[in-house]
Amino acid sequence: IQELLRVMRTIDDRIVHELNTTIPTASFVGKVDAGQTCKELYQSLMDAHTSRERIIKNCIAQTSSVVKTLREEREKAQDDVALLKQLRKEQTKV
């Protein structure tokens, strides 16, 4: 999941770079449709953010489920140190 988030941040960086390089300077104003370019870049950015939000929420849901399971196991085996460490690790993720 962290790798996916890193890739999505890279996408954002590319969009910002593209925005900076495609908005026309005064000498190119008549040659490029800046409005359309901005709309396309905006849509790309919104798609990336929507996808990122969905992945983050999915990660939280999965990790929360693991934490719930580990808590139940922990109640049954309170002396299991390895289980406690795993539970703490998963709680930290959330």
Side-chain angles (χ1 to χ4, degrees):
I1 302 243
Q2 290 177 349
E3 179 64 22
L4 287 172
L5 291 175
R6 186 187 62 73
V7 168
M8 289 181 174
R9 287 186 192 115
T10 302
I11 291 169
D12 287 351
D13 291 343
R14 288 182 182 156
I15 290 171
V16 169
H17 173 73
E18 188 172 341
L19 181 61
N20 289 336
T21 58
T22 57
I23 299 298
T25 59
S27 60
F28 289 100
V29 168
K31 298 178 184 176
V32 177
D33 184 2
Q36 182 61 30
T37 301
C38 285
K39 285 180 185 178
E40 290 170 4
L41 290 172
Y42 176 79
Q43 188 59 47
S44 295
L45 185 59
M46 293 309 297
D47 291 344
H49 281 274
T50 301
S51 178
R52 181 184 302 165
E53 182 179 2
R54 187 180 70 252
I55 289 170
I56 289 170
K57 286 181 179 180
N58 186 28
C59 178
I60 290 170
Q62 288 178 358
T63 305
S64 295
S65 175
V66 170
V67 166
K68 181 180 176 185
T69 302
L70 289 172
R71 279 185 181 158
E72 291 169 357
E73 290 177 22
R74 175 79 173 128
E75 288 178 12
K76 295 175 186 173
Q78 292 191 7
D79 294 334
D80 190 346
V81 176
L83 184 61
L84 178 61
K85 285 183 181 181
Q86 186 179 6
L87 174 60
R88 297 291 182 233
K89 181 181 175 185
E90 293 298 320
Q91 286 175 325
T92 302
K93 276 188 198 177
V94 175

